[in-house]
Amino acid sequence: MSVKQYTLAEVAKHNKEDDAWIVVHDKVYNITPFLEGHPGGKRILLQVAGQDATKQFVQFHNLNAIPVLTKYKKLVVGEVKGVTPASQEDPESATFGNMIAFADPVWYQGWSTPFYKDSHRRLRAWARNLVETELMPYCFEWDTAGQVPKSVARKFGEVGFLAGLAGMTPWPSEYAPCPPPCGIKPEEWDVFHELVLGDELSRIGSAGIGASFSLGPSIALPPVVHFGSPQMKKKVVRDVLAGIKFIALAITEPHAGSDVASITTTATKSADGSHYILNGEKKWITNGVWADYFVVAARTGGPGMGGISLFLLERDGGALGPASTEGFASRPIKCQGNSGSGTAYLTMENVRVPAENIIGKLNNGFKCIMSNFNHERLGICVNAVRYARVCFEDAYKWAQVRRTFGQKLFDHGVIRNKLGHMARQIEATQAWLDFIVYQLSEIKDPQEAMIKLGGPLALLKAQCTVTLEYCAREATQILGGVGYTRGGQGERVERIYRDVRGMAIPGGSEEIMLDLGIRQAAKVSQLMGAKL
């Protein structure tokens, strides 16, 4: 269907309150029905009625204009005559994105890479289009409401996005609702494909919205996949990957966070041996407000790490046999950031769970949890590096349009200095992340991966979140008031600033990660025969 074209002279005729058109990025918009609903008032729009308002739009709207323009695409009536339509980017092109240095990983800008191939290039284009269409236009609305429609999970599930984040390589054809995207062969699916999905998802600049539908498959489902019974996997995995059901990881307690071995929730076997009776509390459980399934850590033995087991708890009592979730409750927790993630406080009072709902072996839950940490921390690292890039990108764009003391912000040396420090940290961190992901792809033995990469991943997690915190602060300084205001030009940076602690604390706080990384390195050094 051909798009109607207008000259600027024709657009200029529509300059009244009852007939107002504007041009933005060569698209012609009929803004008449939007005048009364414009957040800044109709007078601002009427001042540019009949004109090309691209400059004013860029000045007063989100630095990433896609959300606004996508949301109001129904107002488009045509294009400016004589403008060559923007061609679709070649999904296999060596270059991709806006070409702003450091706003995307360097392989997006044509740099040679040993890690990313044509399938990864196709996947990034597919993921970017999906995220920019289905998420970006609504992030501010969902963040403000603190809730994401459940239909989002279903959408991302049915196209295979959630299956791609579950840490399963090759592609989990047995459980996934569809084949891999973009014609990628199931046997070709690797950890770098998962990294691309996580990276592109994080461009929305919201930990909470992303976590609302992606965190369950990423951190709560793997214990079921790797240690659950065939019956359990058959019941749970496919529905979660399809976005039909939600699953939450319930480890942390009010008095036991990174110190998992100190949890106090108990699971006592019933007299007839058919059930375990759970009693205890869990806190800061992402997706806990609405999750259908919970992977619960509870004490079944003595103190310390050797007495912990994992259980699958089903909210509606269906479980894998006769059960009742009477005595189970969840309530939302208001946090500094992660809005929309459904963070919850759970209470369990004599909650009966069928004995066959144990995940793995009795009193072996700690090992299951530890094996899951590498994947959880990797996901946090991917998110944090992209959030840091978003901060750089939006600060850089603002520095090019904001003028102070007669010149662009970018022309002030102090601003370039800030951008330089942000860029060097982002690129160094990304290089380390890619290297660690490559090691994960090469090491096939999970036990070897835990021994070799547990420490480096802990240090990488600290590096990523420290980098993020630095970039969030410096970007906010560059953006000034717009970076302190919810919505508008600084929307993504303001939101990320609130989410920083939600990156730095979950999965192991920076302090504990740094200590763990060095302790693990010392142990590996001894195993390797280090001469000390």
Side-chain angles (χ1 to χ4, degrees):
M1 183 177 177
S2 60
V3 178
K4 193 165 185 180
Q5 295 190 327
Y6 299 91
T7 65
L8 290 177
E10 289 173 320
V11 173
K13 297 175 183 177
H14 302 270
N15 59 6
K16 298 180 175 60
E17 186 170 344
D18 60 351
D19 181 22
W21 291 10
I22 61 172
V23 173
V24 176
H25 294 313
D26 301 320
K27 291 277 195 298
V28 181
Y29 292 80
N30 178 4
I31 59 171
T32 311
F34 180 61
L35 290 174
E36 297 295 337
H38 183 239
K42 65 181 178 182
R43 186 182 68 86
I44 293 176
L45 289 180
L46 289 173
Q47 287 176 341
V48 293
Q51 304 173 37
D52 187 333
T54 301
K55 182 178 179 180
Q56 292 89 338
F57 178 86
V58 170
Q59 183 179 1
F60 290 106
H61 286 80
N62 193 313
L63 295 168
N64 182 0
I66 292 170
V68 175
L69 296 179
T70 301
K71 191 172 184 178
Y72 294 102
K73 61 184 179 181
K74 62 184 178 182
L75 300 179
V76 175
V77 294
E79 294 178 346
V80 176
K81 186 175 291 186
V83 175
T84 303
S87 59
Q88 291 283 334
E89 288 190 89
D90 179 359
E92 293 190 18
S93 172
T95 58
F96 184 82
N98 59 24
M99 294 299 107
I100 295 175
F102 315 116
D104 282 311
V106 291
W107 67 279
Y108 281 46
Q109 299 168 3
W111 287 52
S112 298
T113 170
F115 305 127
Y116 300 95
K117 302 175 176 60
D118 286 345
S119 62
H120 302 100
R121 295 185 182 95
R122 296 198 305 272
L123 186 66
R124 72 183 174 187
W126 175 83
R128 179 159 295 196
N129 178 67
L130 185 67
V131 168
E132 289 186 346
T133 302
E134 302 293 335
L135 298 179
M136 279 192 169
Y138 315 105
C139 282
F140 178 72
E141 175 186 337
W142 294 340
D143 176 75
T144 302
Q147 189 171 357
V148 179
K150 288 190 175 182
S151 59
V152 174
R154 182 70 69 93
K155 174 65 177 180
F156 277 72
E158 66 187 14
V159 297
F161 204 103
L162 301 185
L165 294 174
M168 290 183 271
T169 55
W171 184 261
S173 298
E174 182 181 357
Y175 303 112
C178 63
C182 314
I184 301 171
K185 296 178 181 178
E187 63 272 17
E188 292 178 342
W189 188 265
D190 61 21
V191 189
F192 281 101
H193 290 112
E194 180 178 349
L195 189 157
V196 169
L197 291 183
D199 179 63
E200 285 293 329
L201 174 59
S202 299
R203 289 183 63 250
I204 64 176
S206 172
I209 291 171
S212 71
F213 63 90
S214 71
L215 201 65
S218 179
I219 74 168
L221 193 61
V224 175
V225 170
H226 297 302
F227 305 105
S229 67
Q231 185 183 5
M232 183 184 296
K233 286 188 276 192
K234 183 178 180 180
K235 177 179 179 65
V236 174
V237 179
R238 180 174 285 274
D239 281 352
V240 171
L241 293 184
I244 297 170
K245 297 274 190 171
F246 293 84
I247 189 168
L249 186 66
I251 306 294
T252 302
E253 298 182 355
H255 302 294
S258 299
D259 185 12
V260 176
S262 296
I263 65 168
T264 59
T265 294
T266 59
T268 307
K269 205 165 192 178
S270 62
D272 63 2
S274 64
H275 289 77
Y276 280 90
I277 313 301
L278 271 60
N279 283 280
E281 299 77 33
K282 300 292 180 179
K283 195 172 185 181
W284 302 293
I285 307 305
T286 307
N287 294 178
V289 171
W290 54 70
D292 302 287
Y293 303 110
F294 296 85
V295 175
V296 181
R299 188 161 300 284
T300 50
M305 63 184 70
I308 295 174
S309 299
L310 285 183
F311 296 89
L312 180 74
L313 186 154
E314 190 171 358
R315 184 188 291 267
D316 66 9
L320 301 178
S324 171
T325 44
E326 182 180 354
F328 173 83
S330 67
R331 60 176 174 83
I333 299 174
K334 289 286 188 180
C335 299
Q336 181 184 54
N338 280 5
S339 179
S341 66
T343 303
Y345 186 92
L346 313 181
T347 57
M348 292 165 284
E349 298 181 7
N350 296 322
V351 175
R352 293 163 57 84
V353 175
E356 59 265 33
N357 275 33
I358 194 166
I359 300 173
K361 296 179 180 179
L362 184 69
N363 293 328
N364 201 45
F366 189 82
K367 289 184 179 179
C368 299
I369 296 168
M370 291 301 105
S371 70
N372 194 46
F373 266 142
N374 275 0
H375 189 251
E376 179 179 356
R377 289 167 184 160
L378 176 65
I380 295 172
C381 291
V382 173
N383 297 155
V385 176
R386 174 54 83 167
Y387 292 152
R389 285 194 188 278
V390 168
C391 290
F392 177 91
E393 178 185 0
D394 287 0
Y396 184 93
K397 288 179 177 178
W398 181 249
Q400 296 292 343
V401 298
R402 173 67 168 170
R403 300 184 67 85
T404 61
F405 305 104
Q407 58 183 340
K408 292 180 181 178
L409 275 183
F410 188 80
D411 293 334
H412 294 284
V414 67
I415 300 300
R416 296 194 301 273
N417 182 270
K418 288 179 180 293
L419 292 169
H421 280 302
M422 293 164 71
R424 67 171 178 80
Q425 293 182 63
I426 290 169
E427 291 306 321
T429 305
Q430 182 79 56
W432 195 6
L433 172 61
D434 284 349
F435 177 75
I436 292 294
V437 170
Y438 177 71
Q439 302 309 310
L440 282 168
S441 69
E442 290 294 298
I443 299 175
K444 307 304 179 185
D445 179 17
Q447 189 65 25
E448 182 184 358
M450 280 185 64
I451 294 171
K452 280 189 175 180
L453 299 178
L457 260 169
L459 294 176
L460 176 62
K461 194 227 174 219
Q463 170 69 17
C464 290
T465 56
V466 168
T467 298
L468 169 60
E469 183 165 12
Y470 179 87
C471 291
R473 181 201 184 276
E474 293 299 84
T476 303
Q477 288 298 109
I478 293 172
L479 287 161
V482 300
Y484 185 65
T485 306
R486 297 195 182 191
Q489 301 99 315
E491 175 187 327
R492 292 198 296 178
V493 171
E494 185 278 329
R495 197 161 53 224
I496 288 171
Y497 199 96
R498 282 186 276 130
D499 287 340
V500 167
R501 296 269 66 81
M503 295 280 105
I505 296 172
S509 68
E510 289 169 0
E511 294 78 7
I512 291 173
M513 291 297 92
L514 293 168
D515 179 61
L516 173 63
I518 294 302
R519 285 192 291 109
Q520 287 291 98
K523 289 179 182 179
V524 173
S525 296
Q526 288 179 330
L527 290 173
M528 297 294 290
K531 296 176 175 59
L532 300 173

